Short mmCIF file of all heavy atoms in Angstrom, two decimals:
data_model
loop_
_atom_site.label_atom_id
_atom_site.label_comp_id
_atom_site.label_asym_id
_atom_site.label_seq_id
_atom_site.Cartn_x
_atom_site.Cartn_y
_atom_site.Cartn_z
N GLY A 211 -7.84 -20.72 -5.04
CA GLY A 211 -6.71 -20.84 -4.09
C GLY A 211 -7.09 -21.06 -2.75
O GLY A 211 -8.15 -20.57 -2.25
N GLY A 212 -6.20 -21.72 -1.92
CA GLY A 212 -6.37 -21.83 -0.53
C GLY A 212 -5.07 -21.57 0.24
O GLY A 212 -4.09 -21.96 -0.28
N TYR A 213 -5.14 -20.92 1.40
CA TYR A 213 -3.98 -20.70 2.13
C TYR A 213 -4.20 -21.14 3.60
O TYR A 213 -5.29 -20.75 4.22
CB TYR A 213 -3.55 -19.24 2.08
CG TYR A 213 -2.53 -18.87 3.09
CD1 TYR A 213 -1.18 -19.21 2.76
CD2 TYR A 213 -2.71 -18.21 4.34
CE1 TYR A 213 -0.13 -18.93 3.64
CE2 TYR A 213 -1.66 -17.86 5.16
CZ TYR A 213 -0.40 -18.30 4.84
OH TYR A 213 0.58 -18.04 5.72
N CYS A 214 -3.28 -21.81 4.16
CA CYS A 214 -3.44 -22.34 5.58
C CYS A 214 -2.45 -21.68 6.42
O CYS A 214 -1.24 -21.72 6.24
CB CYS A 214 -3.08 -23.88 5.58
SG CYS A 214 -3.07 -24.51 7.26
N PRO A 215 -2.91 -20.76 7.37
CA PRO A 215 -2.00 -19.97 8.23
C PRO A 215 -1.19 -20.83 9.21
O PRO A 215 -0.16 -20.46 9.73
CB PRO A 215 -2.97 -19.04 8.95
CG PRO A 215 -4.25 -19.74 8.97
CD PRO A 215 -4.32 -20.55 7.72
N GLN A 216 -1.66 -22.08 9.43
CA GLN A 216 -1.02 -22.91 10.43
C GLN A 216 0.40 -23.49 9.88
O GLN A 216 1.34 -23.54 10.56
CB GLN A 216 -1.85 -24.20 10.74
CG GLN A 216 -3.05 -23.74 11.52
CD GLN A 216 -4.21 -24.70 11.33
OE1 GLN A 216 -4.96 -24.69 10.31
NE2 GLN A 216 -4.36 -25.56 12.30
N ASP A 217 0.41 -23.85 8.55
CA ASP A 217 1.70 -24.35 8.00
C ASP A 217 2.14 -23.58 6.76
O ASP A 217 3.11 -23.99 5.99
CB ASP A 217 1.51 -25.89 7.67
CG ASP A 217 0.40 -26.11 6.66
OD1 ASP A 217 -0.13 -25.12 6.11
OD2 ASP A 217 0.32 -27.30 6.26
N GLN A 218 1.51 -22.51 6.42
CA GLN A 218 1.68 -21.66 5.25
C GLN A 218 1.64 -22.38 3.96
O GLN A 218 2.21 -22.14 2.98
CB GLN A 218 3.18 -21.12 5.30
CG GLN A 218 3.41 -19.99 6.38
CD GLN A 218 4.83 -19.45 6.33
OE1 GLN A 218 5.82 -20.18 6.13
NE2 GLN A 218 4.91 -18.22 6.52
N GLY A 219 0.74 -23.52 4.08
CA GLY A 219 0.37 -24.31 2.91
C GLY A 219 -0.42 -23.47 1.84
O GLY A 219 -1.32 -22.76 2.14
N ILE A 220 -0.08 -23.68 0.61
CA ILE A 220 -0.77 -23.03 -0.55
C ILE A 220 -1.09 -24.08 -1.55
O ILE A 220 -0.37 -24.95 -1.81
CB ILE A 220 0.21 -22.05 -1.31
CG1 ILE A 220 0.64 -20.92 -0.29
CG2 ILE A 220 -0.50 -21.44 -2.46
CD1 ILE A 220 1.63 -19.92 -0.88
N LEU A 221 -2.42 -23.93 -1.81
CA LEU A 221 -2.97 -24.77 -2.97
C LEU A 221 -3.62 -23.92 -3.96
O LEU A 221 -4.64 -23.23 -3.53
CB LEU A 221 -3.86 -25.91 -2.40
CG LEU A 221 -4.51 -26.79 -3.47
CD1 LEU A 221 -3.46 -27.74 -4.06
CD2 LEU A 221 -5.65 -27.63 -2.91
N VAL A 222 -3.14 -23.99 -5.25
CA VAL A 222 -3.85 -23.07 -6.31
C VAL A 222 -4.11 -23.99 -7.46
O VAL A 222 -3.19 -24.73 -7.95
CB VAL A 222 -2.94 -21.91 -6.63
CG1 VAL A 222 -3.59 -21.08 -7.81
CG2 VAL A 222 -2.82 -20.95 -5.48
N ARG A 223 -5.25 -23.92 -8.05
CA ARG A 223 -5.64 -24.58 -9.22
C ARG A 223 -6.17 -23.70 -10.34
O ARG A 223 -6.96 -22.86 -9.93
CB ARG A 223 -6.65 -25.72 -8.98
CG ARG A 223 -6.12 -26.82 -8.05
CD ARG A 223 -5.10 -27.67 -8.77
NE ARG A 223 -4.72 -28.87 -7.95
CZ ARG A 223 -3.53 -28.87 -7.27
NH1 ARG A 223 -2.72 -27.78 -7.23
NH2 ARG A 223 -3.17 -29.91 -6.55
N ASN A 224 -5.91 -23.97 -11.52
CA ASN A 224 -6.48 -23.29 -12.63
C ASN A 224 -7.54 -23.98 -13.35
O ASN A 224 -7.38 -25.26 -13.55
CB ASN A 224 -5.39 -22.85 -13.68
CG ASN A 224 -5.97 -22.11 -14.84
OD1 ASN A 224 -6.68 -21.19 -14.70
ND2 ASN A 224 -5.46 -22.40 -16.05
N TYR A 225 -8.70 -23.41 -13.61
CA TYR A 225 -9.82 -24.08 -14.22
C TYR A 225 -10.29 -23.31 -15.46
O TYR A 225 -9.94 -22.16 -15.67
CB TYR A 225 -11.04 -24.22 -13.27
CG TYR A 225 -10.68 -24.99 -12.02
CD1 TYR A 225 -10.38 -24.32 -10.80
CD2 TYR A 225 -10.67 -26.42 -11.96
CE1 TYR A 225 -9.96 -25.08 -9.70
CE2 TYR A 225 -10.32 -27.11 -10.78
CZ TYR A 225 -10.07 -26.44 -9.71
OH TYR A 225 -9.73 -27.13 -8.60
N GLU A 226 -11.03 -24.03 -16.32
CA GLU A 226 -11.67 -23.39 -17.55
C GLU A 226 -12.58 -22.28 -17.07
O GLU A 226 -12.67 -21.20 -17.64
CB GLU A 226 -12.36 -24.41 -18.38
CG GLU A 226 -11.54 -25.37 -19.10
CD GLU A 226 -10.67 -24.54 -20.07
OE1 GLU A 226 -11.15 -23.62 -20.79
OE2 GLU A 226 -9.48 -24.93 -20.27
N THR A 227 -13.34 -22.50 -16.02
CA THR A 227 -14.19 -21.48 -15.39
C THR A 227 -14.41 -21.88 -13.86
O THR A 227 -14.18 -22.99 -13.52
CB THR A 227 -15.60 -21.44 -16.16
OG1 THR A 227 -16.37 -20.36 -15.55
CG2 THR A 227 -16.34 -22.77 -15.84
N VAL A 228 -14.82 -20.88 -13.14
CA VAL A 228 -15.03 -21.13 -11.75
C VAL A 228 -16.58 -21.34 -11.53
O VAL A 228 -17.35 -20.30 -11.64
CB VAL A 228 -14.50 -19.99 -10.81
CG1 VAL A 228 -14.79 -20.28 -9.26
CG2 VAL A 228 -12.98 -19.79 -10.97
#
Side-chain angles (χ1 to χ4, degrees):
Y213 173 75
C214 177
Q216 294 153 280
D217 62 3
Q218 294 185 317
I220 296 173
L221 180 67
V222 176
R223 294 288 186 264
N224 179 44
Y225 300 99
E226 288 296 320
T227 186
V228 179

